[in-house]
Amino acid sequence: MSTIAAEPTNQSNQTERKATAHTAVLHSGFREDTGLQSGLIAPGDALRLAYYAGTHYSGVTCRATIRLANEQPFYEVAFQGKVYRLLSRPVPGQSESVRHDDVKYELVRTWAPGLQCDGWFMDPPAAVPNTPRALIMELQTVIGVSLEDILGKAFSIFHYRLDNNAQYPQTMEPAGYTLRELFLAAVAADGQLSTLYETPKGTNVELWTMFLRVLDQPNQPKLSDYAYSSMAVKEFGEVGAAAMRRALMLRNRPAQSAAPLGLRPFVEAFPPNLDGTKLTRDVGRHAGTL
């Protein structure tokens, strides 16, 4: 792998409003550093705690186990035989005696011809994508292919590792991890990106966040029952209920129900278990462990 990386040239807009609790983010620890509209983290914010490896929790994917040696991945995406990454890493050439919290870090983009092998540097990033839309736009720029190809042929190895104790899959195309499935994404009629991690028009924002949290959990057969009930239309609206059904189909859940839940409200059918934490919208059920 080359050891030369150029300096990032652009900073994200420092006056941009930041992501809210109901903005879907890839790294929940950087929510307050993420632009609300751009979905980007400025380099300085992304590198602020780059030296911190975190605590190693046995059996749980965490900051310590997701790292690649002393490099921290922000994304790992496989596309047609190549793995694309955005990483923070120590700037080469520093003294080995420097204190760990004084080590200087940089952001780099790389690609490799396999899941666990060396590769090559690409143009350095100007910022770090931290929302589904921002990451998809980043990959379109980096790889230079159509939106339809990105959604259907790109696989998030990072999210596979999050769900599997930081282990790599046996294939670059793990089932269930296309960006279309993971980000509930589609190409809209006007050719633009549509993602159901963004609240459907007219739907209650908090209810949609609750739905996404339940959707990300395995073994929730009642979710299809609710989506086809009259209560889904009453609570989420016609547009929201239809969006729920599309989301279930994108995750390969049953497309119709034989036993609708009738008049049971969503919070009664799926009591929120927040363990005293704030209700937030994250991508993947393990995003909070990082």
Side-chain angles (χ1 to χ4, degrees):
M1 180 181 283
S2 168
T3 58
I4 301 174
E7 289 290 328
T9 56
N10 297 317
Q11 298 286 328
S12 63
N13 187 350
Q14 296 299 311
T15 62
E16 183 182 7
R17 289 179 59 205
K18 299 304 181 183
T20 72
H22 299 291
T23 303
V25 295
L26 311 180
H27 296 264
S28 58
F30 289 98
R31 182 183 304 278
E32 294 181 359
D33 301 311
T34 302
L36 180 61
Q37 295 300 319
S38 68
L40 298 173
I41 310 167
D45 292 327
L47 294 174
R48 188 169 56 245
L49 293 176
Y51 69 88
Y52 179 60
T55 303
H56 189 145
Y57 298 98
S58 178
V60 178
T61 306
C62 54
R63 187 179 180 92
T65 57
I66 202 79
R67 288 167 73 92
L68 310 175
N70 56 2
E71 299 178 338
Q72 181 73 29
F74 286 95
Y75 65 72
E76 297 179 85
V77 174
F79 182 82
Q80 296 189 331
K82 295 179 180 179
V83 180
Y84 297 86
R85 294 182 173 93
L86 194 157
L87 308 148
S88 64
R89 67 156 195 170
V91 174
Q94 297 178 76
S95 170
E96 294 182 1
S97 62
V98 67
R99 282 166 43 97
H100 74 283
D101 52 349
D102 287 334
V103 174
K104 290 182 171 56
Y105 284 77
E106 65 183 352
L107 295 173
V108 295
R109 285 196 194 107
T110 67
W111 76 268
L115 292 170
Q116 295 178 271
C117 62
D118 288 342
W120 289 266
F121 285 111
M122 306 177 71
D123 291 339
V128 175
N130 196 33
T131 64
R133 183 174 294 274
L135 177 55
I136 290 168
M137 292 177 64
E138 157 103 357
L139 292 171
Q140 276 196 274
T141 299
V142 169
I143 303 175
V145 296
S146 71
L147 177 58
E148 186 62 46
D149 281 347
I150 286 290
L151 297 185
K153 299 177 183 178
F155 294 76
S156 180
I157 304 304
F158 182 86
H159 284 88
Y160 178 93
R161 295 181 67 211
L162 271 182
D163 290 343
N164 293 276
N165 199 20
Q167 299 301 305
Y168 278 98
Q170 298 299 309
T171 171
M172 287 194 190
E173 300 182 354
Y177 288 89
T178 66
L179 298 195
R180 185 189 310 281
E181 297 164 289
L182 180 67
F183 295 157
L184 307 173
V187 181
D190 60 0
Q192 300 301 306
L193 172 67
S194 170
T195 167
L196 296 177
Y197 266 100
E198 297 170 358
T199 309
K201 185 176 181 180
T203 302
N204 180 279
V205 172
E206 289 192 354
L207 269 179
W208 194 250
T209 296
M210 292 179 190
F211 164 72
L212 290 170
R213 290 175 70 99
V214 176
L215 181 70
D216 279 340
Q217 302 302 317
N219 304 318
Q220 289 286 349
K222 291 191 301 181
L223 197 53
S224 290
D225 296 338
Y226 177 86
Y228 285 86
S229 71
S230 59
M231 185 58 78
V233 176
K234 180 178 180 180
E235 293 189 295
F236 287 79
E238 292 281 0
V239 172
M244 293 176 75
R245 297 164 191 166
R246 288 200 305 275
L248 286 162
M249 287 187 284
L250 283 167
R251 292 286 174 84
N252 295 311
R253 305 284 182 86
Q256 55 186 323
S257 172
L261 292 183
L263 298 178
R264 292 183 66 187
F266 188 86
V267 295
E268 179 183 316
F270 309 98
N273 180 17
L274 301 178
D275 298 323
T277 61
K278 186 177 181 180
L279 177 65
T280 58
R281 191 176 299 188
D282 304 315
V283 179
R285 65 185 185 276
H286 296 303
T289 64
L290 299 180

